[in-house]
Amino acid sequence: MTLKDHSKWPSLPTSCREVIEAYSYELTKLSRSLMSVLSVNLGLGEGYLQNAFGGDDIGACLRATFYPKCPQPDLTLGLSSHSDPGGMTLLLPDDQVSGYKYLKVIVGSP
């Protein structure tokens, strides 16, 4: 796993890069484990999903966003609907931030 375009990283605090690289490494390990478990439980063979998404050269994208609380939430528009690229998205829930919405697609529904 690499997130090595250091020109896009903040320079301060100095520990930021090390912490984010360690966190990203652990998330990638978790994703590999989840893909393995999902593959096996779907009857596809242990490495099926990982191989479908790049094998040992699997990519990772870490996005960190901060949305400060709006003093007038009734005036906000929010983000337009979008999807996250890739085979797996891991979200870090935050009890202090409400409002994340996702669309549950039911196969065969209009």
Side-chain angles (χ1 to χ4, degrees), residues 11-32:
S11 59
L12 295 173
T14 55
S15 62
C16 181
R17 186 177 301 165
E18 292 171 2
V19 170
I20 290 175
E21 284 185 333
Y23 181 71
S24 299
Y25 176 78
E26 294 301 324
L27 285 178
T28 301
K29 281 183 12 183
L30 174 61
S31 295
R32 288 176 191 262

Side-chain angles (χ1 to χ4, degrees), residues 2 4 15 17 20 26 28 38 45 54 58 80 83 95 100 106:
T2 60
K4 298 296 182 189
S15 62
R17 186 177 301 165
I20 290 175
E26 294 301 324
T28 301
L38 289 169
I58 195 166
S80 61
S83 62
D95 291 335
Y100 180 80
I106 300 172

Side-chain angles (χ1 to χ4, degrees), residues 3 8 13 15 20 22 26 31 36 42 44 59-60 65-66 78 98 109-110:
L3 297 171
K8 295 182 179 179
S15 62
I20 290 175
E26 294 301 324
S31 295
S36 177
L42 291 170
L44 300 172
T65 56
F66 173 69
S98 62
S109 294

Side-chain angles (χ1 to χ4, degrees), residues 60-83:
C61 175
L62 175 67
R63 293 184 186 166
T65 56
F66 173 69
Y67 300 105
K69 189 168 185 167
C70 179
Q72 295 179 292
D74 54 316
L75 298 179
T76 61
L77 297 176
L79 292 176
S80 61
S81 297
H82 68 282
S83 62

